[in-house]
Structure formats: structure tokens, C-alpha cells
Coordinates of all heavy atoms in Angstrom, one line a residue:
M659 N 0.8 -1.2 0.0 CA 0.0 0.0 0.0 C 0.9 1.3 0.0 O 1.9 1.3 0.7 CB -0.9 0.0 1.2 CG -1.8 1.2 1.3 SD -2.9 1.1 2.7 CE -2.7 2.8 3.4
I660 N 0.4 2.2 -0.8 CA 1.2 3.4 -0.9 C 0.8 4.4 0.3 O -0.3 4.5 0.7 CB 0.9 4.1 -2.2 CG1 1.9 5.2 -2.5 CG2 -0.5 4.6 -2.4 CD1 2.0 5.6 -3.9
E661 N 1.9 5.1 0.8 CA 1.6 6.0 1.8 C 2.6 7.1 1.8 O 3.7 7.0 1.2 CB 1.6 5.4 3.2 CG 2.9 4.6 3.5 CD 2.8 3.9 4.8 OE1 1.7 3.8 5.4 OE2 3.9 3.3 5.2
P662 N 2.3 8.3 2.3 CA 3.3 9.4 2.3 C 4.4 9.2 3.3 O 4.1 8.8 4.4 CB 2.4 10.6 2.7 CG 1.1 10.2 3.0 CD 1.1 8.7 3.0
L663 N 5.6 9.4 2.8 CA 6.8 9.3 3.8 C 7.0 10.7 4.4 O 7.4 10.8 5.5 CB 8.0 8.9 3.0 CG 8.0 7.5 2.5 CD1 9.3 7.2 1.8 CD2 7.8 6.4 3.6
K664 N 6.7 11.7 3.5 CA 7.1 13.0 3.9 C 6.1 14.0 3.3 O 5.7 13.9 2.1 CB 8.5 13.3 3.4 CG 9.4 14.1 4.3 CD 10.7 14.2 3.6 CE 11.8 14.8 4.5 NZ 13.0 15.0 3.8
I665 N 5.6 15.0 4.0 CA 4.8 16.0 3.5 C 5.5 17.3 3.6 O 5.9 17.7 4.7 CB 3.4 16.0 4.3 CG1 2.7 14.7 4.1 CG2 2.6 17.2 3.7 CD1 1.6 14.5 5.0
I666 N 5.8 17.9 2.5 CA 6.7 19.1 2.5 C 5.8 20.3 2.1 O 5.2 20.4 1.1 CB 7.8 18.9 1.5 CG1 8.6 17.7 1.8 CG2 8.7 20.2 1.5 CD1 9.3 17.1 0.6
D667 N 5.9 21.3 3.0 CA 5.2 22.5 2.9 C 5.9 23.4 1.8 O 7.0 23.7 2.0 CB 5.2 23.3 4.2 CG 3.9 23.9 4.5 OD1 3.2 24.2 3.6 OD2 3.7 24.2 5.7
E668 N 5.2 23.8 0.7 CA 5.8 24.6 -0.3 C 5.2 26.0 -0.1 O 4.8 26.6 -1.1 CB 5.5 24.1 -1.7 CG 5.8 22.7 -1.9 CD 7.3 22.4 -2.3 OE1 8.0 23.4 -2.3 OE2 7.6 21.3 -2.6
G669 N 5.2 26.5 1.1 CA 4.5 27.8 1.3 C 3.1 27.5 1.5 O 2.7 26.3 1.7
E670 N 2.2 28.5 1.5 CA 0.8 28.3 1.8 C 0.0 27.7 0.7 O -1.0 27.1 0.9 CB 0.2 29.6 2.2 CG 0.6 30.2 3.5 CD -0.2 31.3 3.9 OE1 -0.6 32.1 3.0 OE2 -0.5 31.5 5.1
H671 N 0.6 27.8 -0.5 CA -0.3 27.5 -1.7 C 0.0 26.2 -2.4 O -0.6 25.9 -3.4 CB -0.2 28.6 -2.7 CG -0.7 29.9 -2.1 ND1 -2.1 30.1 -1.9 CD2 -0.1 31.0 -1.7 CE1 -2.3 31.3 -1.4 NE2 -1.1 31.9 -1.2
A672 N 0.9 25.4 -1.8 CA 1.2 24.1 -2.4 C 1.9 23.2 -1.4 O 2.4 23.6 -0.4 CB 2.1 24.3 -3.6
V673 N 1.7 21.9 -1.7 CA 2.3 20.9 -0.8 C 2.9 19.8 -1.7 O 2.3 19.5 -2.7 CB 1.3 20.4 0.2 CG1 0.2 19.7 -0.5 CG2 1.9 19.5 1.3
T674 N 4.1 19.3 -1.3 CA 4.7 18.2 -2.0 C 4.6 17.0 -1.1 O 4.9 17.0 0.1 CB 6.1 18.5 -2.3 OG1 6.2 19.6 -3.3 CG2 6.8 17.3 -3.0
I675 N 4.3 15.9 -1.7 CA 4.2 14.6 -0.9 C 5.2 13.6 -1.5 O 5.3 13.4 -2.7 CB 2.8 14.0 -1.0 CG1 1.8 14.9 -0.4 CG2 2.8 12.6 -0.2 CD1 0.3 14.4 -0.4
E676 N 6.1 13.1 -0.7 CA 7.0 12.0 -1.1 C 6.3 10.7 -0.7 O 6.0 10.5 0.5 CB 8.3 12.2 -0.3 CG 9.3 13.2 -1.0 CD 10.6 13.2 -0.2 OE1 11.0 12.2 0.5 OE2 11.2 14.3 -0.2
W677 N 6.2 9.9 -1.6 CA 5.5 8.6 -1.4 C 6.4 7.4 -1.1 O 7.6 7.5 -1.5 CB 4.6 8.3 -2.6 CG 3.6 9.3 -2.9 CD1 3.7 10.3 -3.9 CD2 2.3 9.5 -2.3 NE1 2.5 11.1 -3.8 CE2 1.7 10.6 -2.9 CE3 1.6 8.8 -1.3 CZ2 0.4 11.0 -2.5 CZ3 0.4 9.2 -0.9 CH2 -0.3 10.3 -1.5
S678 N 5.8 6.4 -0.6 CA 6.6 5.2 -0.2 C 7.1 4.5 -1.4 O 7.9 3.6 -1.3 CB 5.8 4.3 0.7 OG 4.5 4.0 0.1
D679 N 6.5 4.7 -2.6 CA 7.0 4.1 -3.8 C 8.1 5.0 -4.5 O 8.4 4.8 -5.7 CB 5.9 3.7 -4.8 CG 5.2 5.0 -5.4 OD1 5.5 6.1 -4.9 OD2 4.4 4.8 -6.2
S680 N 8.6 5.9 -3.7 CA 9.7 6.8 -4.1 C 9.3 7.7 -5.3 O 10.2 8.2 -6.0 CB 11.0 6.1 -4.4 OG 10.9 5.1 -5.3
T681 N 8.0 8.0 -5.5 CA 7.6 9.0 -6.4 C 7.3 10.3 -5.5 O 7.3 10.2 -4.3 CB 6.3 8.7 -7.1 OG1 5.3 8.3 -6.2 CG2 6.5 7.5 -8.1
E682 N 7.1 11.4 -6.2 CA 6.9 12.6 -5.5 C 5.9 13.5 -6.3 O 6.1 13.5 -7.5 CB 8.3 13.3 -5.4 CG 8.3 14.6 -4.7 CD 9.7 15.2 -4.7 OE1 10.6 14.5 -4.3 OE2 9.8 16.4 -5.1
N683 N 5.0 14.1 -5.6 CA 4.0 14.9 -6.3 C 3.8 16.2 -5.6 O 3.8 16.2 -4.4 CB 2.6 14.2 -6.4 CG 2.7 12.9 -7.2 OD1 2.5 11.8 -6.7 ND2 3.0 13.0 -8.5
T684 N 3.6 17.3 -6.4 CA 3.3 18.6 -5.8 C 1.9 18.9 -6.1 O 1.4 18.8 -7.3 CB 4.2 19.6 -6.3 OG1 5.6 19.3 -6.0 CG2 3.9 21.0 -5.8
Y685 N 1.1 19.4 -5.1 CA -0.3 19.7 -5.3 C -0.5 21.2 -5.0 O 0.0 21.7 -4.0 CB -1.1 18.9 -4.3 CG -1.0 17.4 -4.5 CD1 0.0 16.7 -3.9 CD2 -1.9 16.7 -5.4 CE1 0.1 15.3 -4.0 CE2 -1.8 15.4 -5.6 CZ -0.8 14.7 -4.9 OH -0.7 13.3 -5.1
E686 N -1.2 21.9 -5.9 CA -1.6 23.3 -5.6 C -2.7 23.2 -4.6 O -3.7 22.4 -4.8 CB -2.0 23.9 -6.9 CG -1.0 24.0 -8.0 CD 0.2 24.9 -7.7 OE1 0.0 25.9 -7.0 OE2 1.3 24.6 -8.1
A687 N -2.7 24.2 -3.7 CA -3.8 24.3 -2.7 C -5.2 24.3 -3.4 O -6.1 23.7 -3.0 CB -3.6 25.5 -1.8
R688 N -5.3 25.2 -4.4 CA -6.6 25.4 -5.1 C -7.0 24.1 -5.8 O -8.2 23.8 -5.8 CB -6.5 26.6 -6.0 CG -7.9 27.0 -6.5 CD -8.0 28.4 -7.1 NE -9.4 28.8 -7.2 CZ -10.1 28.6 -8.3 NH1 -9.6 28.0 -9.3 NH2 -11.4 29.0 -8.4
D689 N -6.1 23.4 -6.4 CA -6.5 22.2 -7.1 C -7.0 21.2 -6.1 O -8.0 20.5 -6.4 CB -5.2 21.5 -7.8 CG -4.8 22.3 -9.0 OD1 -5.6 23.2 -9.5 OD2 -3.7 22.1 -9.5
L690 N -6.4 21.1 -4.9 CA -6.9 20.2 -3.9 C -8.3 20.6 -3.4 O -9.2 19.8 -3.3 CB -5.9 20.2 -2.7 CG -4.6 19.4 -2.9 CD1 -3.7 19.6 -1.7 CD2 -4.8 18.0 -3.2
R691 N -8.4 21.9 -3.2 CA -9.7 22.4 -2.7 C -10.8 22.1 -3.8 O -11.9 21.6 -3.4 CB -9.6 23.9 -2.5 CG -10.9 24.6 -2.1 CD -11.4 24.1 -0.8 NE -12.7 24.6 -0.5 CZ -13.9 24.0 -0.8 NH1 -13.8 22.8 -1.5 NH2 -15.0 24.5 -0.5
L692 N -10.5 22.2 -5.1 CA -11.5 22.0 -6.1 C -11.8 20.5 -6.2 O -12.9 20.1 -6.7 CB -11.0 22.5 -7.4 CG -10.9 24.0 -7.5 CD1 -10.4 24.5 -8.9 CD2 -12.3 24.7 -7.3
A693 N -10.8 19.7 -5.8 CA -11.0 18.2 -5.9 C -11.5 17.6 -4.7 O -11.6 16.4 -4.5 CB -9.7 17.6 -6.3
C694 N -12.0 18.4 -3.7 CA -12.4 17.9 -2.4 C -13.5 16.9 -2.6 O -14.5 17.1 -3.3 CB -13.0 19.1 -1.6 SG -13.6 18.5 0.0
P695 N -13.3 15.7 -2.0 CA -14.3 14.6 -2.2 C -15.3 14.5 -1.1 O -16.0 13.5 -1.1 CB -13.3 13.4 -2.2 CG -12.3 13.8 -1.2 CD -12.1 15.3 -1.3
C696 N -15.5 15.5 -0.3 CA -16.5 15.4 0.8 C -17.9 15.5 0.3 O -18.2 15.9 -0.8 CB -16.2 16.5 1.9 SG -17.0 18.0 1.5
A697 N -18.8 15.1 1.1 CA -20.2 15.0 0.7 C -20.8 16.3 0.4 O -21.8 16.4 -0.3 CB -21.0 14.3 1.8
G698 N -20.2 17.4 0.9 CA -20.7 18.8 0.5 C -20.2 19.2 -0.9 O -20.8 20.1 -1.5
C699 N -19.2 18.6 -1.4 CA -18.6 19.0 -2.7 C -19.0 18.1 -3.8 O -19.1 18.5 -4.9 CB -17.1 19.1 -2.6 SG -16.5 20.5 -1.4
I700 N -19.2 16.8 -3.4 CA -19.5 15.8 -4.4 C -20.8 15.1 -3.9 O -20.8 14.7 -2.7 CB -18.4 14.7 -4.5 CG1 -17.1 15.3 -4.9 CG2 -18.8 13.6 -5.4 CD1 -16.9 15.6 -6.4
N701 N -21.8 15.0 -4.7 CA -23.0 14.2 -4.3 C -22.6 12.8 -4.2 O -22.2 12.1 -5.1 CB -24.1 14.4 -5.4 CG -25.3 13.7 -5.0 OD1 -25.3 12.5 -4.7 ND2 -26.5 14.4 -5.2
E702 N -22.8 12.2 -3.0 CA -22.2 10.9 -2.7 C -23.0 9.8 -3.4 O -22.6 8.7 -3.6 CB -22.1 10.6 -1.2 CG -23.3 10.8 -0.4 CD -23.0 10.5 1.1 OE1 -22.3 9.6 1.4 OE2 -23.6 11.3 1.9
W703 N -24.2 10.1 -3.9 CA -25.0 9.1 -4.6 C -24.7 9.1 -6.1 O -24.6 8.0 -6.7 CB -26.5 9.3 -4.4 CG -26.8 9.2 -2.9 CD1 -27.3 10.3 -2.1 CD2 -26.7 8.1 -2.0 NE1 -27.5 9.9 -0.8 CE2 -27.1 8.5 -0.7 CE3 -26.3 6.8 -2.2 CZ2 -27.2 7.7 0.3 CZ3 -26.3 5.9 -1.1 CH2 -26.8 6.4 0.1
T704 N -24.7 10.3 -6.7 CA -24.5 10.4 -8.1 C -23.1 10.6 -8.6 O -22.8 10.5 -9.7 CB -25.4 11.5 -8.7 OG1 -24.9 12.7 -8.1 CG2 -26.9 11.3 -8.3
G705 N -22.3 11.1 -7.6 CA -20.9 11.4 -8.0 C -20.8 12.8 -8.6 O -19.7 13.2 -9.1
E706 N -21.9 13.5 -8.7 CA -21.9 14.8 -9.4 C -21.2 15.8 -8.5 O -21.4 15.8 -7.3 CB -23.4 15.2 -9.6 CG -23.6 16.5 -10.3 CD -25.0 17.1 -10.2 OE1 -25.9 16.3 -9.8 OE2 -25.1 18.3 -10.5
K707 N -20.5 16.6 -9.1 CA -19.7 17.7 -8.4 C -20.7 18.8 -8.0 O -21.3 19.4 -8.9 CB -18.6 18.2 -9.2 CG -17.7 19.2 -8.5 CD -16.4 19.4 -9.3 CE -15.6 20.6 -8.6 NZ -14.4 20.9 -9.3
M708 N -20.8 19.1 -6.7 CA -21.7 20.1 -6.3 C -21.0 21.5 -6.1 O -21.6 22.5 -6.2 CB -22.3 19.8 -4.9 CG -22.8 18.3 -4.8 SD -24.3 18.0 -5.7 CE -25.5 18.8 -4.6
L709 N -19.7 21.4 -5.9 CA -18.9 22.6 -5.6 C -18.8 23.4 -6.9 O -18.5 22.9 -8.0 CB -17.5 22.1 -5.2 CG -16.5 23.2 -5.0 CD1 -16.8 24.1 -3.8 CD2 -15.1 22.6 -4.8
K710 N -19.0 24.7 -6.8 CA -18.8 25.6 -7.9 C -17.4 26.1 -7.8 O -17.0 26.8 -6.9 CB -19.8 26.8 -7.8 CG -21.3 26.3 -7.8 CD -21.8 26.3 -9.2 CE -23.2 25.8 -9.3 NZ -23.4 24.4 -9.1
N711 N -16.6 25.9 -8.9 CA -15.2 26.3 -8.9 C -15.1 27.8 -8.6 O -14.2 28.2 -7.9 CB -14.6 26.1 -10.3 CG -14.3 24.6 -10.5 OD1 -14.7 23.7 -9.7 ND2 -13.7 24.3 -11.6
E712 N -16.0 28.6 -9.1 CA -15.9 30.1 -8.9 C -16.2 30.5 -7.5 O -15.9 31.6 -7.1 CB -16.8 30.8 -9.9 CG -18.3 30.5 -9.8 CD -18.7 29.3 -10.7 OE1 -17.8 28.5 -11.1 OE2 -19.8 29.2 -11.1
S713 N -16.7 29.6 -6.6 CA -16.9 29.9 -5.2 C -15.7 29.8 -4.4 O -15.7 30.1 -3.2 CB -18.1 29.0 -4.7 OG -17.6 27.7 -4.5
V714 N -14.6 29.2 -5.0 CA -13.4 29.0 -4.3 C -12.4 30.2 -4.6 O -12.1 30.4 -5.8 CB -12.7 27.7 -4.7 CG1 -11.4 27.5 -4.0 CG2 -13.6 26.5 -4.3
P715 N -12.0 30.9 -3.6 CA -11.1 32.0 -3.8 C -9.8 31.6 -4.6 O -9.3 30.5 -4.3 CB -10.7 32.5 -2.4 CG -11.6 31.8 -1.5 CD -12.2 30.7 -2.2
G716 N -9.3 32.4 -5.5 CA -8.2 32.0 -6.3 C -6.9 31.9 -5.5 O -6.0 31.1 -5.8
D717 N -6.9 32.5 -4.3 CA -5.7 32.5 -3.5 C -5.9 31.6 -2.3 O -5.2 31.7 -1.3 CB -5.3 33.9 -3.1 CG -6.3 34.5 -2.2 OD1 -7.4 34.0 -2.1 OD2 -6.0 35.6 -1.6
V718 N -6.8 30.6 -2.4 CA -7.1 29.8 -1.3 C -5.8 29.0 -0.9 O -4.9 28.7 -1.7 CB -8.2 28.7 -1.6 CG1 -7.7 27.7 -2.6 CG2 -8.7 28.1 -0.3
S719 N -5.5 28.9 0.4 CA -4.3 28.2 0.9 C -4.7 27.1 1.8 O -5.8 26.9 2.3 CB -3.4 29.2 1.5 OG -4.0 29.8 2.6
I720 N -3.6 26.3 2.1 CA -3.8 25.2 3.1 C -3.4 25.7 4.5 O -2.2 26.1 4.6 CB -2.9 24.0 2.7 CG1 -3.3 23.5 1.3 CG2 -3.0 22.9 3.7 CD1 -2.3 22.5 0.7
S721 N -4.3 25.6 5.4 CA -3.9 26.1 6.7 C -3.4 25.0 7.7 O -2.7 25.3 8.6 CB -5.0 26.9 7.4 OG -6.3 26.3 7.2
H722 N -3.8 23.8 7.4 CA -3.5 22.7 8.3 C -3.6 21.4 7.5 O -4.6 21.2 6.8 CB -4.3 22.8 9.5 CG -4.0 21.7 10.5 ND1 -2.8 21.8 11.3 CD2 -4.6 20.6 10.9 CE1 -2.8 20.7 12.1 NE2 -3.8 19.9 11.8
I723 N -2.7 20.5 7.8 CA -2.9 19.1 7.2 C -2.8 18.1 8.4 O -1.9 18.2 9.2 CB -1.7 18.8 6.3 CG1 -1.7 19.8 5.1 CG2 -1.9 17.4 5.7 CD1 -0.4 19.7 4.3
S724 N -3.7 17.2 8.4 CA -3.6 16.1 9.4 C -3.8 14.8 8.7 O -4.4 14.6 7.7 CB -4.6 16.3 10.6 OG -5.9 16.4 10.1
V725 N -3.2 13.7 9.4 CA -3.3 12.4 8.9 C -4.5 11.7 9.5 O -4.7 11.8 10.7 CB -2.0 11.6 9.2 CG1 -2.1 10.2 8.7 CG2 -0.8 12.3 8.7
V726 N -5.3 11.1 8.6 CA -6.5 10.4 9.1 C -6.2 8.9 9.1 O -6.0 8.3 8.0 CB -7.7 10.7 8.2 CG1 -9.0 10.0 8.7 CG2 -7.9 12.2 8.1
G727 N -6.2 8.3 10.2 CA -5.9 6.8 10.3 C -4.6 6.6 9.5 O -3.6 7.3 9.7
R728 N -4.6 5.5 8.7 CA -3.4 5.2 8.0 C -3.7 5.2 6.5 O -3.0 4.6 5.7 CB -2.8 3.9 8.4 CG -2.4 3.9 9.8 CD -2.1 2.6 10.3 NE -0.7 2.2 10.0 CZ -0.2 1.0 10.4 NH1 -0.8 0.2 11.1 NH2 1.1 0.7 10.0
Y729 N -4.7 6.0 6.1 CA -5.1 5.9 4.7 C -5.4 7.2 4.1 O -5.6 7.2 2.8 CB -6.4 5.0 4.6 CG -7.6 5.7 5.1 CD1 -8.5 6.2 4.2 CD2 -7.9 5.7 6.4 CE1 -9.7 6.9 4.6 CE2 -9.1 6.4 6.9 CZ -9.9 6.9 6.0 OH -11.1 7.6 6.4
A730 N -5.4 8.3 4.8 CA -5.9 9.5 4.2 C -5.3 10.8 4.9 O -4.7 10.7 6.0 CB -7.4 9.6 4.2
L731 N -5.4 11.9 4.1 CA -5.0 13.2 4.7 C -6.3 14.1 4.7 O -7.1 14.0 3.9 CB -3.9 13.9 3.8 CG -2.6 13.2 3.7 CD1 -1.7 14.0 2.8 CD2 -2.0 13.0 5.1
N732 N -6.3 14.9 5.7 CA -7.4 15.9 5.8 C -6.7 17.3 5.7 O -5.8 17.6 6.5 CB -8.1 15.7 7.2 CG -9.1 16.8 7.5 OD1 -9.0 17.4 8.6 ND2 -9.9 17.1 6.6
F733 N -7.2 18.0 4.7 CA -6.7 19.4 4.6 C -7.6 20.4 5.1 O -8.8 20.3 4.9 CB -6.5 19.7 3.1 CG -5.4 18.8 2.4 CD1 -5.8 17.6 1.7 CD2 -4.1 19.1 2.5 CE1 -4.8 16.8 1.1 CE2 -3.1 18.3 1.9 CZ -3.5 17.2 1.2
H734 N -7.1 21.3 5.8 CA -7.9 22.5 6.2 C -7.6 23.6 5.3 O -6.4 24.0 5.2 CB -7.6 22.9 7.7 CG -8.1 21.9 8.7 ND1 -8.4 22.2 10.0 CD2 -8.4 20.6 8.5 CE1 -8.8 21.1 10.6 NE2 -8.8 20.1 9.8
F735 N -8.6 24.2 4.7 CA -8.3 25.3 3.7 C -8.6 26.7 4.3 O -9.5 26.8 5.2 CB -9.1 25.1 2.4 CG -8.7 23.8 1.7 CD1 -9.4 22.6 1.9 CD2 -7.6 23.8 0.9 CE1 -9.0 21.5 1.2 CE2 -7.2 22.7 0.2 CZ -7.9 21.5 0.4
S736 N -8.0 27.7 3.7 CA -8.2 29.0 4.3 C -9.6 29.6 4.0 O -10.0 30.6 4.6 CB -7.2 30.0 3.6 OG -7.4 30.0 2.2
D737 N -10.4 28.9 3.2 CA -11.8 29.4 3.0 C -12.7 28.7 4.1 O -13.9 28.8 4.0 CB -12.3 29.1 1.6 CG -12.4 27.6 1.3 OD1 -11.9 26.8 2.1 OD2 -13.0 27.3 0.3
G738 N -12.1 28.0 5.1 CA -12.9 27.5 6.2 C -13.3 26.1 5.9 O -13.9 25.4 6.8
H739 N -13.0 25.5 4.7 CA -13.5 24.2 4.4 C -12.5 23.2 4.9 O -11.3 23.3 4.7 CB -13.6 24.1 2.9 CG -14.5 22.9 2.5 ND1 -15.8 22.9 2.6 CD2 -14.2 21.7 1.9 CE1 -16.3 21.8 2.1 NE2 -15.3 21.0 1.7
E740 N -13.0 22.2 5.7 CA -12.1 21.2 6.3 C -12.7 19.8 6.4 O -12.2 19.0 7.3 CB -11.6 21.7 7.7 CG -12.8 22.1 8.6 CD -12.3 22.6 9.9 OE1 -11.6 23.6 9.9 OE2 -12.7 22.0 11.0
T741 N -13.7 19.5 5.6 CA -14.3 18.2 5.7 C -13.8 17.2 4.8 O -14.3 16.0 4.8 CB -15.9 18.4 5.6 OG1 -16.1 19.3 4.5 CG2 -16.5 18.9 6.8
G742 N -12.9 17.6 3.9 CA -12.4 16.6 2.9 C -11.4 15.6 3.4 O -10.4 16.0 4.0
I743 N -11.7 14.4 3.2 CA -10.8 13.3 3.5 C -10.2 12.8 2.2 O -10.9 12.2 1.4 CB -11.5 12.2 4.3 CG1 -12.2 12.7 5.5 CG2 -10.5 11.1 4.6 CD1 -11.4 13.2 6.6
F744 N -9.0 13.1 2.0 CA -8.3 12.7 0.7 C -7.5 11.4 1.0 O -6.4 11.4 1.6 CB -7.3 13.8 0.3 CG -8.0 15.1 -0.1 CD1 -8.6 15.9 0.8 CD2 -8.0 15.5 -1.5 CE1 -9.2 17.1 0.4 CE2 -8.6 16.7 -1.9 CZ -9.2 17.5 -0.9
S745 N -8.0 10.3 0.5 CA -7.3 9.0 0.7 C -6.0 9.1 -0.1 O -5.9 9.8 -1.1 CB -8.1 7.8 0.2 OG -8.2 7.8 -1.2
F746 N -5.0 8.4 0.3 CA -3.7 8.4 -0.4 C -3.9 8.0 -1.8 O -3.3 8.5 -2.7 CB -2.7 7.4 0.3 CG -2.5 7.7 1.8 CD1 -2.1 6.7 2.6 CD2 -2.6 9.0 2.2 CE1 -1.8 7.0 4.0 CE2 -2.3 9.3 3.6 CZ -2.0 8.3 4.4
R747 N -4.8 7.0 -2.0 CA -5.0 6.5 -3.4 C -5.6 7.6 -4.3 O -5.3 7.8 -5.4 CB -6.0 5.3 -3.3 CG -6.1 4.6 -4.7 CD -7.5 4.0 -4.8 NE -7.6 2.8 -3.8 CZ -7.8 1.6 -4.2 NH1 -7.9 1.3 -5.4 NH2 -7.9 0.7 -3.3
Y748 N -6.6 8.4 -3.7 CA -7.2 9.5 -4.4 C -6.2 10.5 -4.7 O -6.2 11.1 -5.8 CB -8.4 10.0 -3.5 CG -9.1 11.2 -4.2 CD1 -9.7 11.0 -5.4 CD2 -9.2 12.4 -3.6 CE1 -10.4 12.0 -6.0 CE2 -9.9 13.5 -4.2 CZ -10.5 13.3 -5.4 OH -11.2 14.3 -6.0
L749 N -5.3 10.8 -3.8 CA -4.3 11.8 -4.1 C -3.4 11.4 -5.2 O -3.0 12.2 -6.1 CB -3.4 12.1 -2.8 CG -4.1 12.9 -1.7 CD1 -3.4 12.8 -0.4 CD2 -4.2 14.4 -2.1
K750 N -3.1 10.1 -5.2 CA -2.2 9.6 -6.3 C -3.0 9.7 -7.6 O -2.4 10.0 -8.7 CB -1.9 8.1 -5.9 CG -0.5 7.6 -6.1 CD 0.6 8.6 -5.9 CE 1.8 8.2 -6.7 NZ 2.8 9.3 -6.9
E751 N -4.3 9.4 -7.6 CA -5.1 9.5 -8.8 C -5.1 10.9 -9.4 O -5.0 11.2 -10.6 CB -6.5 9.1 -8.6 CG -6.7 7.6 -8.6 CD -8.1 7.2 -8.2 OE1 -9.0 8.1 -8.2 OE2 -8.3 6.1 -7.8
L752 N -5.2 11.9 -8.4 CA -5.2 13.3 -8.8 C -3.9 13.7 -9.5 O -3.9 14.4 -10.5 CB -5.4 14.2 -7.6 CG -6.8 14.2 -7.0 CD1 -6.7 15.1 -5.7 CD2 -7.8 14.7 -7.9
A753 N -2.8 13.2 -9.0 CA -1.5 13.5 -9.5 C -1.4 12.9 -10.9 O -0.8 13.5 -11.9 CB -0.4 13.0 -8.6
D754 N -1.9 11.6 -11.1 CA -1.7 11.0 -12.4 C -2.6 11.6 -13.4 O -2.2 11.7 -14.6 CB -2.2 9.5 -12.2 CG -1.1 8.7 -11.4 OD1 0.0 9.2 -11.3 OD2 -1.5 7.6 -10.9
Q755 N -3.8 12.1 -13.0 CA -4.6 12.8 -14.0 C -4.0 14.1 -14.6 O -4.2 14.4 -15.7 CB -5.9 13.3 -13.3 CG -7.0 12.2 -13.1 CD -8.1 12.7 -12.2 OE1 -8.2 13.8 -11.9 NE2 -8.8 11.7 -11.7
K756 N -3.1 14.7 -13.8 CA -2.5 15.9 -14.2 C -1.4 15.7 -15.2 O -0.9 16.6 -15.9 CB -2.0 16.7 -13.0 CG -3.0 17.5 -12.3 CD -2.4 18.6 -11.4 CE -2.4 19.9 -12.1 NZ -1.8 21.0 -11.3
R757 N -0.9 14.5 -15.3 CA 0.3 14.2 -16.1 C 0.0 14.3 -17.5 O -1.1 14.1 -18.0 CB 0.8 12.8 -15.7 CG 2.3 12.7 -15.7 CD 2.7 11.4 -15.1 NE 2.9 11.6 -13.6 CZ 3.0 10.6 -12.8 NH1 2.9 9.4 -13.2 NH2 3.2 10.9 -11.5
Ligands
LIG2181 ZN1 -15.6 19.4 0.4

């Protein structure tokens, strides 16, 4: 199973994760905020995205990161949103999509 070895703060607007498979990905704070998988941002039944991109400030930043169990990270964003649980696998998928 993949997991983060190191979470590196790139200032307020980005974070780099070093993974246990020796890959490394950098995430922009706003990209993470827009990809928030919580029930308020994604309809959990239909998978439809409820979040309006334009409702997220362009300069949104990450104010706090915590580890959830052994499978996910929880990001607290400067717009007050903090309900998103980003599983390691989901974070990896986000990085692969950007490639
Ligand atoms: Zn959310």
C-alpha cells in the first residue's frame, strides 16, 4: 500500500508529498480544494460535483494538514473548508490525472 513518507510545505499555496514508492507529487492548494471529495462538494449518490469552482477564492491556501488513520489526509483550507478526507489513493489519482 502506498503512503506518504514526507509532506513538505511549499509555502501556503502548495504541498509536496513524497510517497513510499519513491515518487513525489506537488499539489496546488486550489487544485486540492477543487477536488475535495467530501459529501458537501460531491454528491455521494450520483458522484456529481456540487462545488462551484468560482466559489473558491483564487488564492485559497492550506492552513493545516492532518493524517487520518493510515489511509488519508485531511486538509484544512483558508476558506474554512475542512471536511475533505483525501485518501492516499485518491491523491495519487489526482496526480496521475495531471500528467
Ligand atoms: Zn468538500
Side-chain angles (χ1 to χ4, degrees):
M659 182 176 131
I660 192 163
E661 56 185 8
L663 295 180
K664 223 177 185 186
I665 299 169
I666 304 154
D667 221 336
E668 307 276 3
E670 291 189 323
H671 296 287
V673 64
T674 295
I675 300 176
E676 277 182 28
W677 299 99
S678 54
D679 65 354
S680 57
T681 57
E682 182 181 307
N683 298 112
T684 299
Y685 301 89
E686 300 292 328
R688 190 162 194 271
D689 289 346
L690 287 175
R691 177 63 188 89
L692 293 178
C694 177
C696 85
C699 294
I700 302 280
N701 182 311
E702 54 184 321
W703 302 113
T704 63
E706 186 195 343
K707 185 170 171 180
M708 315 289 283
L709 175 70
K710 300 268 177 285
N711 288 6
E712 57 272 22
S713 72
V714 176
D717 63 348
V718 71
S719 60
I720 299 168
S721 45
H722 182 73
I723 303 172
S724 55
V725 180
V726 182
R728 298 171 81 175
Y729 74 99
L731 295 179
N732 171 231
F733 295 97
H734 291 202
F735 295 98
S736 59
D737 65 349
H739 199 72
E740 55 181 57
T741 41
I743 305 292
F744 293 70
S745 71
F746 302 152
R747 187 207 295 240
Y748 181 58
L749 285 166
K750 222 34 205 163
E751 278 172 20
L752 288 177
D754 290 342
Q755 280 168 19
K756 280 200 96 180
R757 217 166 270 165

